[in-house]
Amino acid sequence: MNEPARGPSLAWRLATAFALVCALVLGVAGVFLYRSLEAELVYRDDQALLGRLEQVRALIQDSDSLDALQQRPRLYQNMLANQESLLLVNRADGTPVITINPWQQALPPLTPIVDPRSPLASDIQRWPGLVLLAGSTQGPRGESLTVVVGKRLAEREAMLASYRLRVYLAVGFGGLLAFALGLVLLRRALRPLGHLAATVAGIELRSLDRRLNLRGIPRELHEPVQALNGMLARLDDSFQRLSQFSADLAHEIRTPLHNLLGSNGLALSQPRSSADYQEVLASNLEEFERLNRMVENLLFLARADHGERLLNGQPIELHPLGEDLCAYFEALAEDRGLRLDNRLQGTLQADLQLLQRALANLLANAVRHATPGSTVILGGAQGRLFVSNQGERIGAAHVDKLFDRFYRVDPSRAAPGDSGGLGLAIVRSIMDLHGGTVEVSSDEQATVFSLVFPPIGHPSL
């Protein structure tokens, strides 16, 4: 048989998810910081252009003549402070007065700001790789001049490109580091699961009493571990019951088989008369009937446990049913000096055959254990029926085991016509099929077995 394909481990999945989350967070933070830096650089460059235009306007207006301005080019170069900036001052006819354009940048046509309006950031004209701002002013002698200030963006774009690369590297490296650290931490955190798996794998039929230790287990795993311990407890209890059931079944079957072998062996040991053989066959028939009842009861319990017995729910008149059951057990009750009192009233929605069997088992049990001369009461109404008898009190240690298969409070009191220790187990199975319960109470005054049925409309009915 081919083994099923294994998927990625939980640690790898969680580490990958953790790395993706970290990369996403770093990426968002990087984009935010990049946009913030870009906006800050744009703002500073814009403010520098606005201030430069105002400075050049003021310088021109304060000069004595244009010739004096042309003789001081170093002043303008110091004002620009770097090779990325440019400054053009032109007359109205386009004749240059001052030209500082280290890169010989070709300029597009510009619309200058009318003097004396102060420039605004919205007046700056942006072109690929270049920002420009133009304004008009008057020279020392009143002539019209156009001032153009600008800046190439190569340095800014190089800086932003370098910053983007660092953001990409930080996101990638951060994601890889988060994956590696997450994988290491997750594998360490999942070690208790490996210990649990090894402990569970070591539990066998002979060690079902072992339980998983919560010491060192993360708090999030306490509930699953406790659920596993509960499951182990149920398995242990079921296995113990199964083992006890097997032993009880072997014991119950051994007794009639031993009787059959003994009687047949004795009959065949020497010649017998026809009457003797008939007596042996009659005795054997009783044992066969006992085995047959046991097999039928076990078959019923097996079908009930597997849900193969379907209910035939119908309204049942309880008092006539009680009369029939009392009439059936009347002879057995008279033999023990008992009186049967039918107090059943009303109707009940249930399976007639199963209800008859449950009440018959309880009556047979009550007649068998009642004190001679007392009264066995069959009573109840609606959804609660009971069988009560006066007799020896059932000890508290036995109450929880009464409905186990083959369990008897006093095995020595087993009679040839009893149910083989399966009667009360059958009663409980019948009530389980109806969705109800069976209860028992016992004291010095009486022992009462009660059948509690669910209300009308229950899914089982």
Side-chain angles (χ1 to χ4, degrees), residues 61-220:
Q61 293 174 0
D62 293 341
S63 298
D64 296 333
S65 66
L66 293 178
D67 295 336
L69 288 175
Q70 291 175 332
Q71 294 174 2
R72 293 187 298 174
R74 187 175 300 276
L75 173 65
Y76 314 123
Q77 292 176 358
N78 292 337
M79 183 185 300
L80 297 177
N82 60 64
Q83 297 295 315
E84 297 295 321
S85 299
L86 57 86
L87 170 64
L88 301 176
V89 179
N90 297 327
R91 294 184 177 87
D93 59 1
T95 305
V97 177
I98 298 174
T99 302
I100 300 177
N101 188 358
W103 297 91
Q104 300 300 315
Q105 182 78 43
L107 303 182
L110 302 173
T111 302
I113 302 170
V114 179
D115 188 51
R117 183 173 72 84
S118 298
L120 302 175
S122 58
D123 297 323
I124 298 176
Q125 303 182 45
R126 307 180 190 280
W127 304 88
L130 184 67
V131 289
L132 298 171
L133 178 63
S136 61
T137 187
Q138 290 185 350
R141 298 178 181 178
E143 62 267 49
S144 297
L145 300 175
T146 300
V147 179
V148 178
V149 295
K151 183 176 182 179
R152 297 178 72 249
L153 302 180
E155 183 179 353
R156 183 209 297 178
E157 292 178 352
M159 181 191 305
L160 292 176
S162 175
Y163 191 83
R164 284 197 303 270
L165 178 60
R166 293 179 182 180
V167 169
Y168 296 151
L169 292 176
V171 171
F173 179 76
L176 291 175
L177 182 61
F179 176 80
L181 292 177
L183 187 60
V184 172
L185 294 177
L186 285 169
R187 284 182 173 176
R188 179 173 297 180
L190 293 176
R191 284 179 183 174
L193 289 180
H195 297 327
L196 286 178
T199 303
V200 173
I203 297 178
E204 301 176 350
L205 290 179
R206 297 181 179 179
S207 57
L208 286 176
D209 57 337
R210 293 177 58 185
R211 297 295 178 265
L212 303 177
N213 193 352
L214 291 175
R215 182 178 300 174
I217 299 298
R219 184 178 303 173
E220 292 77 7

Side-chain angles (χ1 to χ4, degrees), residues 269-289:
S269 62
Q270 57 184 353
R272 305 283 180 175
S273 63
S274 298
D276 292 336
Y277 285 123
Q278 288 179 355
E279 183 179 354
V280 171
L281 291 176
S283 176
N284 290 347
L285 183 61
E286 291 180 358
E287 298 297 336
F288 284 125
E289 290 177 350

